[in-house]
Amino acid sequence: MKYFRFILSLCLPILAISCGKDSADTIDYTKLSESEIMEMARDLAQNTIMVDGHVDLPYRMKVGGFTLQREILNVAERTEGGNFDFPRSREGGLDAPFMSIYIPSRYQEMGGAKALADSLILMTERLTTTWPDKFALAYGPDEIKKNFEAGKISLPMGMENGAPIEDDLDNIGYFYDRGIRYITLTHGKDNLIGDSSYDTTYTHGGLSEFGVEVVKEMNRTGIMVDISHVSDDTFYDVLEVSQVPVIASHSSARHFTPGFERNMADEMIKKLAENGGVIMINFGGSFIDQDFREGNDAAREHIVNWLAENELSRNDPEAQEYIADYVAENNPFPSVQRVADHFDHIVELVGTDHLGFGSDFDGVGDTLPNGLKDVSMYPNLIAELLKRGYSKEEIEKFCYKNIFRVWEEVADFAESAS
């Protein structure tokens, strides 16, 4: 597909991109240098709404020790570590990262899932009250558009793991009222709703009977159904039940990671497209590249053993230097080009109407590819897509139009059903 696009770009040498000049102005794509392409990519990132389907900042704040009695992690300023903060978001053109209200699977067994969800929602809300000139909540596309015009970063929320629903369908409406606009049905283990891609027990053989009712109630309430993390059987069951399009908020193409059920197989991507849904590409190295995935497992085991032998922690300067050198030599990171390969593959399967960005920033640790290490680097991906012949209009679909379409369809269905 990418070669077809390259030939097409040679046959159609004029790529029209708005650069703040007269709308009739055009740029001859075939004459652009690397620096000019990057300038175009930055301009597009800054002047187009950009949505990311999954950023794990709330749990990063929890792990960092935030409580209501302590100072919140100051992501209004550039932070050390992590992948997200306001300055870097501004540099990268990110306007609406879905804040992941992440519930580890252990809370399904030990209890407390709903309480943890509430605390993470409260942390997200506090970002907007602490820095109201920088952050604002958003419950739908119209609010994101309004915040974009006001120069604020929107913080829509999605809940990763349906465990906080517990065994009570009324909690779906409760979390809608709290601002949740998608729910990832499972996480690392099977739960009351259905089976997980990471589990091997196949508790329900797909959706449970309760899970069927959960999907129906999410449709009725206006919460998008997120099929990232579910087993293949659960995925197909969801498509049988849902009356509206569904999303994969942070998954990639299994074509590049054979056997990795957490990603989506080609047939699943085609079914998702028939449903009208969107797959939002995960940037994590283990999601985008099989060689890195296999090498990462081996490198992780070596590093754990090396740290133990040398009585060091990952935070020690000596350890950080060793880890960086070891990984570079033994398991080099994939590049931004590999992420673009996933776009090419999926576009070849189903066209450009079913793709978005779902980075998993702050959630995939130190596995991110070169050129996409944090939220400041989205223009690198956009530049790569421009090089491959994607138009401004197609990139706008990836940035926000595709996910807005699904979001609006889900909201419209809920309104008609009420």
Side-chain angles (χ1 to χ4, degrees), residues 239 268-278 349-350 354:
L239 292 196
M268 297 169 72
I269 293 168
K270 291 176 182 177
K271 290 294 185 182
L272 183 77
E274 291 175 10
N275 163 265
V278 174
L349 289 174
V350 298
H354 306 284

Side-chain angles (χ1 to χ4, degrees), residues 31-32 53 145 159 162 168 180 196 207 228 234 237 256 268 271 277 291 315 320 323 325 338 386 412:
K31 295 181 179 179
L32 290 177
K145 293 174 185 176
M159 191 161 71
D168 187 352
I180 296 297
S196 163
L207 274 180
S228 288
T234 303
D237 285 350
F256 297 96
M268 297 169 72
K271 290 294 185 182
D291 289 342
N315 294 326
Q320 290 179 350
I323 292 169
D325 291 343
R338 195 54 161 170
L386 287 172
D412 288 346

Side-chain angles (χ1 to χ4, degrees), residues 234-292:
T234 303
F235 166 80
Y236 286 111
D237 285 350
V238 167
L239 292 196
E240 288 292 323
V241 174
S242 181
Q243 298 183 68
V244 292
V246 305
I247 67 169
S249 69
H250 58 307
S251 297
S252 300
R254 199 181 299 173
H255 172 82
F256 297 96
T257 56
F260 184 36
E261 194 172 346
R262 175 64 179 77
N263 277 344
M264 296 186 70
D266 287 359
E267 187 59 32
M268 297 169 72
I269 293 168
K270 291 176 182 177
K271 290 294 185 182
L272 183 77
E274 291 175 10
N275 163 265
V278 174
I279 174 174
M280 309 181 82
I281 300 301
N282 191 311
F283 298 169
S286 295
F287 287 79
I288 62 172
D289 189 271
Q290 183 71 7
D291 289 342
F292 179 82

Side-chain angles (χ1 to χ4, degrees), residues 4 12 26 58 66 72 140 159 181 218 250 267 338 405:
F4 168 77
L12 301 174
T26 58
F66 167 69
I72 196 169
M159 191 161 71
R181 289 301 179 267
M218 288 174 66
H250 58 307
E267 187 59 32
R338 195 54 161 170
R405 171 183 54 78

Side-chain angles (χ1 to χ4, degrees), residues 186-187 190 194-199 202 205-207 227-238 254 261-262 268:
T186 68
H187 194 255
D190 300 350
D195 295 344
S196 163
S197 63
Y198 282 135
D199 208 337
Y202 306 105
L207 274 180
I227 53 79
S228 288
H229 281 286
V230 305
S231 70
D232 290 6
D233 288 338
T234 303
F235 166 80
Y236 286 111
D237 285 350
V238 167
R254 199 181 299 173
E261 194 172 346
R262 175 64 179 77
M268 297 169 72

